[in-house]
Amino acid sequence: MAADDATSACRSGAPDNSSEAVVTLAQAPVAGDAPLASLPERPASPRFGAPLQAWYPVAREAEARRGVRTRLHGRTIVLRRNEAGAIVAPHQPDLLVVVRAGLVWARQVNGSGQVVPPLIEDSIGGGDLPMIACSEVEVETDYDQAVLGLVDPAHVPMVHDAWWWRASPKRRVKTKQYAPSPFGFTATAADAFASAPAYALTGASRRIAIEFRLPSTRIERVEAEGFRLVNLTTVTPTAPGSVTLRNAIYCSVTPMRALHPFLSALGRAFLEQDARILRRLESRPAPGHPLLFVGAPDQPSLWYYQCKAALSRASDDAPFANPVRATVLQWRT
Ligand SMILES: [Fe+2]
């Protein structure tokens, strides 16, 4: 998040605390790793932009089976089903393609041996946990700005104001426990209340965990008595300055598949709220523009950049050293 955006977002979303520490990315310590103070502030750094060899979703499995043209890192990819029934990208030998969670994921390979975060492991999209909604929105914006929307809690009360997501404009203090998880971090709510009225339908026994995993995957898992739901949101770098925001929801209540068009429309409206803000941001790369992080609401954004720095340093001889440490964060939402 650029300095002005971070400051305005967190002043609006954080508890009013004038003594809140403000740090830049270069000042922030990285636990168990080299201090970032020795690194440059801006670009020509693998900390900015999309990791080139990571996995990204590029299409829905159903549309790929019919044949579809899509984009990744500025290249055009044609997906189709081969004679054996597998989804393939013909004539693209440096591209790996797999189907996971009802989506087609692709990644470039160049033989450099770079460490690649694994795909989501959950077996979702099948009969037990079918996809009940899928939506996507194209946005011309900076890749990192789009990914920050997956981890930044401070933007939620200002961006997502649908009645089914936010019943009251009244702010409350939210407390979440964060812990490192593979190639990222996972948050669990420590409050008795749920922010979104939609969650109330799952009952008081619900457990909600939200995982962020590099490069750009947010996995929200909701479990309650006889109920399971996975809410997957991703950012795909389609071309320089352009991304696709994608959301897919999977639910154990299989009759909800009948609501696919309606729920997909709700998901698209949610993504459009993020897209509208991203389009208004001055999000072109700005060399020398410092990144500021203000207090607890900005901690996940800082972790995002620190995780990317750790990924860029990881290799077969030096495994990914997760910079995240377990902690409790609190903000007003
Ligand atoms: Fe958002």
Side-chain angles (χ1 to χ4, degrees):
M1 178 175 286
D4 292 343
D5 309 319
T7 305
S8 61
C10 295
R11 279 181 184 157
S12 305
D16 186 16
N17 184 352
S18 57
S19 63
E20 199 92 76
V22 178
V23 297
T24 68
L25 182 56
Q27 293 167 334
V30 179
D33 211 330
L36 283 173
S38 61
L39 297 175
E41 285 264 0
R42 262 274 183 188
S45 160
R47 288 182 295 134
F48 300 100
L52 291 176
Q53 294 198 58
W55 290 104
Y56 300 93
V58 291
R60 301 176 208 188
E61 179 185 8
E63 64 184 357
R65 290 198 171 282
R66 296 190 297 268
V68 70
R69 186 181 296 262
T70 183
R71 288 191 305 164
L72 179 67
H73 301 306
R75 66 194 286 183
T76 298
I77 301 169
V78 176
L79 299 170
R80 64 172 177 79
R81 185 172 53 174
N82 67 10
E83 291 174 353
I87 303 296
V88 294
H91 317 302
Q92 311 246 16
D94 63 337
L95 199 74
L96 298 181
V97 173
V98 301
V99 174
R100 184 73 53 90
L103 300 172
V104 181
W105 303 69
R107 83 174 189 90
Q108 298 184 151
V109 290
N110 68 8
S112 68
Q114 190 177 349
V115 171
V116 175
L119 285 167
I120 178 173
E121 294 90 356
D122 303 49
S123 82
I124 55 180
D128 293 341
L129 214 69
M131 183 188 287
I132 62 167
C134 189
S135 53
E136 55 193 53
V137 172
E138 291 269 351
V139 195
E140 301 221 340
T141 188
D142 176 64
Y143 169 81
D144 289 311
Q145 289 285 355
V147 181
L148 288 178
L150 302 182
V151 301
D152 172 26
H155 86 284
V156 173
M158 287 165 283
V159 175
H160 302 296
D161 55 0
W163 63 268
W164 43 270
W165 187 253
R166 191 167 181 82
S168 164
K170 202 171 158 189
R171 300 283 177 94
R172 286 190 283 193
V173 174
K174 185 86 180 171
T175 307
K176 284 196 176 184
Q177 294 167 337
Y178 282 79
S181 48
F183 294 91
F185 45 89
T186 295
T188 51
D191 308 303
F193 76 92
S195 299
Y199 286 140
L201 300 173
T202 61
S205 65
R206 65 181 165 269
R207 296 175 300 284
I208 303 173
I210 302 176
E211 175 187 350
F212 173 78
R213 182 183 302 193
L214 288 175
S216 51
T217 303
R218 179 187 187 273
I219 312 161
E220 181 171 6
R221 299 179 176 94
V222 182
E223 291 188 25
E225 186 82 32
F227 178 88
R228 196 172 153 228
L229 180 143
V230 176
N231 183 5
L232 179 69
T233 311
T234 59
V235 177
T236 299
T238 48
S242 182
V243 304
T244 293
L245 309 179
R246 188 174 272 108
N247 173 252
I249 303 175
Y250 313 81
C251 185
S252 59
V253 183
T254 53
M256 289 186 75
R257 278 184 295 187
L259 299 176
H260 195 288
F262 172 70
L263 295 172
S264 297
L266 289 184
R268 183 179 172 80
F270 199 82
L271 294 180
E272 275 293 352
Q273 291 171 346
D274 283 310
R276 193 166 60 237
I277 298 298
L278 288 169
R279 291 184 187 111
R280 290 174 61 183
L281 283 174
E282 177 59 61
S283 58
R284 287 171 298 181
H289 198 160
L291 297 171
L292 297 183
F293 302 92
V294 188
D298 261 359
Q299 183 63 52
S301 298
L302 178 56
W303 281 333
Y304 166 65
Y305 282 108
Q306 292 178 330
C307 282
K308 280 181 56 171
L311 179 64
S312 72
R313 287 191 288 264
S315 67
D316 290 343
D317 300 326
F320 176 80
N322 196 325
V324 178
R325 293 294 176 265
T327 189
V328 174
L329 299 180
Q330 198 171 65
W331 60 86
R332 290 185 69 79
T333 187

